[in-house]
Amino acid sequence: MASVGVLFIMSVFTILDSDIVQDNTKDVFLRSDDGEIYAEATEKRIVGIDDGRITTATRSSEKGFGLRVVSGDRVGFAHSDNLDRQAMKRAAEAVKVATGSQNVSQPQAVPKTNHDLYKAVNPLELSQFADEVAFLEAVDAYCRNKDERVGQVKAHVALVHQQVEIYRPEGDIARDIRPLVRVDVSVIMDHHGRREMGHYGYGGRQSPDQFLTKEQWQKAADEAIRQAKVNLEAIDAPAGDMEVVLGAGWPGILLHEAVGHGLEGDFNRKKTSAFSGLMGKQVAARGVTVIDDGTIANRRGSLNIDDEGTPTQRNILIEDGILVGYMQDRMNARLMNVAPTGNGRRESYAHQPMPRMTNTFMLGGDASPNDIISSMKKGIYAVSFGGGQVDITSGKFVFSCTEAYLVENGEIKAPVKGATLIGNGPESLHEISMIGNDMTLDSGIGTCGKAGQGVPVGVGQPTIKLDHMTVGGTEMA
């Protein structure tokens, strides 16, 4: 490694001793194309209430580093929760198997950044355990007083303070402090022997006082209760091929799963994505523009730098229906002869980075949501989603609706339960016929899973209409 310089500092802190890093990794980096040492110090506190009792009260902390070297498409990776010289030496010995006899190519330095997307705060110090208990007890009491049919209330608040330090082979150090707060409220309502649940969550990269206000938590509680009430009135969902309208905001999770993963660089380099080989081709209806943007201030999926030290950026993936870009980490970008896009992400120091989404969304169009609903003859209006499954290679997906309505002759009718949307991501993009002018990002609760790793993300979209989609239900349409 060259002499150490500082690339980016959110706040002055040190996790690793730079002398230990240089003394033990110089040789392995000289025989590799790329790599990094990713060091992390993370604190978490989670407090939860269930049925009027505090059932969760945990505080944890961890420190560690991951050493990765990359030669061609070979990767050597070792990690340790010990930060001393011996641990670094053992890690360097372990990754040598992936190195060559000499450098194939000199690692390109990452560009500097002026990103300052969130304040370098420690949420665990700005909020106290007693405050969080009082907050949750207030949520519980409010929900029960709001509607006598509320039989159970579950809520939790999660606070995270993460410091990362990235040592690059060329000698630069990138640092970032990443706060994260999330609040979730769930209620179960009973009515004439029927029980239904409603849920609402929110959060982002800000201090707790932005999220634990009375206005914020009452909005979350009201929304959870509203959703439960809707579900109490729901009828069996129809089944068959029909028009489908997806609401604004959180329904963008379907776009994230069914389309976004297929636009990540590793799947396309290996030609296992349904979008492989389609660069410059029309892959969606005209008017469809999909963006991944890690630079939106305070958002859950935003980062000043990715987990390889590359500044995040706004990446246009699909523009007016044409595929124009993939999301890249450094290794896949080098192997595909393109530039990294700031999408190299990992769950922790014990995991390798890979191309991952940040905040992924579709831009709005010019149609009003009311006009979109009015244009429907018969179909489903899906407002919120739960779980789903996607096959990246084929693009096929299945998603469960947690809130949806039957629409007939342009009018929203009864809510429906048990509706699932079944389709193919690339094919569904061509079925989009109307795009609303109400693009909205989600409330800040997304977590993306890939190869066993979870990372915080954001999603979003406007109200959109698909002319044809298979709806799974219990009543034939």
Side-chain angles (χ1 to χ4, degrees):
M1 293 178 67
S3 60
V4 174
V6 176
L7 173 69
F8 179 75
I9 297 182
M10 283 289 297
S11 181
V12 177
F13 66 89
T14 299
I15 301 175
L16 287 173
D17 184 316
S18 60
D19 289 337
I20 291 177
V21 171
Q22 292 192 74
D23 291 348
N24 290 280
T25 61
K26 180 179 179 180
D27 289 343
V28 293
F29 280 135
L30 282 174
R31 296 196 300 271
S32 60
D33 293 320
D34 202 2
E36 73 285 313
I37 300 170
Y38 174 92
E40 173 190 1
T42 298
E43 296 178 275
K44 298 179 182 178
R45 184 164 68 238
I46 302 174
V47 185
I49 194 169
D50 186 359
D51 206 19
R53 296 176 299 133
I54 298 298
T55 55
T56 303
T58 64
R59 178 162 182 163
S60 62
S61 62
E62 62 176 346
K63 284 186 177 181
F65 73 88
L67 168 60
R68 183 183 67 142
V69 296
V70 181
S71 294
D73 61 356
R74 293 181 301 166
V75 178
F77 180 73
H79 63 87
S80 174
D81 59 3
N82 194 326
L83 303 179
D84 64 16
R85 186 177 296 274
Q86 287 301 314
M88 186 66 66
K89 182 178 180 180
R90 288 192 298 268
E93 288 293 326
V95 301
K96 279 184 178 180
V97 66
T99 61
S101 58
Q102 60 183 6
N103 253 6
V104 178
S105 61
Q106 286 289 330
Q108 292 187 349
V110 297
K112 294 183 179 181
T113 177
N114 291 319
H115 285 351
D116 189 8
L117 303 175
Y118 31 82
K119 293 181 179 179
V121 299
N122 185 340
L124 285 77
E125 293 180 353
L126 296 178
S127 176
Q128 302 302 313
F129 173 72
D131 298 329
E132 292 142 24
V133 170
F135 162 79
L136 293 170
E137 290 176 339
V139 171
D140 180 84
Y142 177 84
C143 291
R144 295 180 187 280
N145 292 330
K146 187 77 173 182
D147 195 303
E148 62 182 10
R149 294 174 295 177
V150 173
Q152 184 177 7
V153 180
K154 296 179 67 174
H156 81 262
V157 55
L159 310 173
V160 179
H161 178 242
Q162 182 188 47
Q163 297 175 311
V164 300
E165 184 174 69
I166 303 169
Y167 288 76
R168 299 283 314 140
E170 63 275 9
D172 286 331
I173 306 173
R175 293 186 173 99
D176 196 11
I177 294 178
R178 301 168 176 173
L180 193 62
V181 179
R182 173 169 171 169
V183 177
D184 286 271
V185 180
S186 298
V187 301
I188 294 178
M189 299 183 70
D190 299 90
H191 187 63
H192 297 314
R194 181 170 174 175
R195 306 183 75 204
E196 297 290 348
M197 188 182 79
H199 168 265
Y200 188 81
Y202 63 94
R205 297 194 183 279
Q206 290 177 276
S207 60
D209 60 0
Q210 301 295 311
F211 297 111
L212 305 187
T213 65
K214 185 175 182 179
E215 179 183 6
Q216 285 270 41
W217 66 254
Q218 283 191 355
K219 175 184 175 183
D222 288 343
E223 180 60 20
I225 292 170
R226 184 200 65 79
Q227 190 178 101
K229 287 180 178 179
V230 168
N231 290 332
L232 282 172
E233 300 171 356
I235 63 175
D236 290 338
D241 181 85
M242 62 188 74
E243 298 171 306
V244 171
V245 169
L246 305 179
W250 179 245
I253 189 65
L254 193 153
L255 176 76
H256 167 103
E257 295 288 359
V259 176
H261 278 298
L263 298 178
E264 292 168 336
D266 49 352
F267 294 127
N268 287 279
R269 178 176 67 83
K270 298 173 184 177
K271 301 189 185 304
T272 57
S273 167
F275 293 96
S276 297
L278 298 180
M279 188 65 66
K281 305 292 185 181
Q282 184 170 350
V283 296
R286 293 294 182 185
V288 173
T289 295
V290 178
I291 290 174
D292 183 85
D293 190 348
T295 69
I296 308 173
N298 302 319
R299 295 297 304 180
R300 180 174 169 85
S302 294
L303 298 169
N304 287 310
I305 51 174
D306 73 4
D307 295 329
E308 297 176 303
T310 304
T312 56
Q313 61 188 49
R314 181 181 175 91
N315 299 301
I316 301 176
L317 308 174
I318 298 173
E319 187 171 20
D320 196 22
I322 306 299
L323 178 61
V324 297
Y326 298 129
M327 291 166 280
Q328 302 285 4
D329 63 357
R330 287 179 62 90
M331 184 179 83
N332 284 280
R334 176 173 51 82
L335 294 173
M336 296 179 74
N337 197 30
V338 296
T341 61
N343 289 94
R345 305 190 63 188
R346 66 182 95 202
E347 180 177 318
S348 75
Y349 70 88
H351 299 82
Q352 298 183 47
M354 65 183 90
R356 303 293 297 272
M357 285 172 274
T358 57
N359 303 297
T360 311
F361 52 91
M362 182 188 300
L363 292 186
D366 56 9
S368 74
N370 288 338
D371 287 344
I372 293 176
I373 297 295
S374 296
S375 71
M376 298 178 70
K377 293 181 179 179
K378 185 174 183 179
I380 293 293
Y381 174 38
V383 177
S384 187
F385 289 96
Q389 294 181 329
V390 179
D391 185 311
I392 302 300
T393 302
S394 68
K396 293 179 180 179
F397 63 81
V398 178
F399 269 86
S400 301
C401 301
T402 55
E403 183 180 353
Y405 301 85
L406 182 65
V407 179
E408 294 179 341
N409 297 319
E411 293 186 8
I412 298 176
K413 300 292 186 179
V416 296
K417 65 176 181 177
T420 58
L421 302 186
I422 305 166
N424 177 287
E427 292 176 5
S428 295
L429 288 175
H430 289 283
E431 293 291 341
I432 297 173
S433 60
M434 299 181 74
I435 303 175
N437 57 12
D438 59 341
M439 200 291 286
T440 306
L441 295 173
D442 77 291
S443 57
I445 61 171
T447 297
C448 172
K450 178 180 177 181
Q453 296 190 40
V455 296
V457 296
V459 301
Q461 68 174 43
T463 299
I464 59 174
K465 179 184 177 183
L466 296 92
D467 288 339
H468 296 280
M469 182 175 285
T470 300
V471 176
T474 55
E475 296 289 333
M476 293 303 295

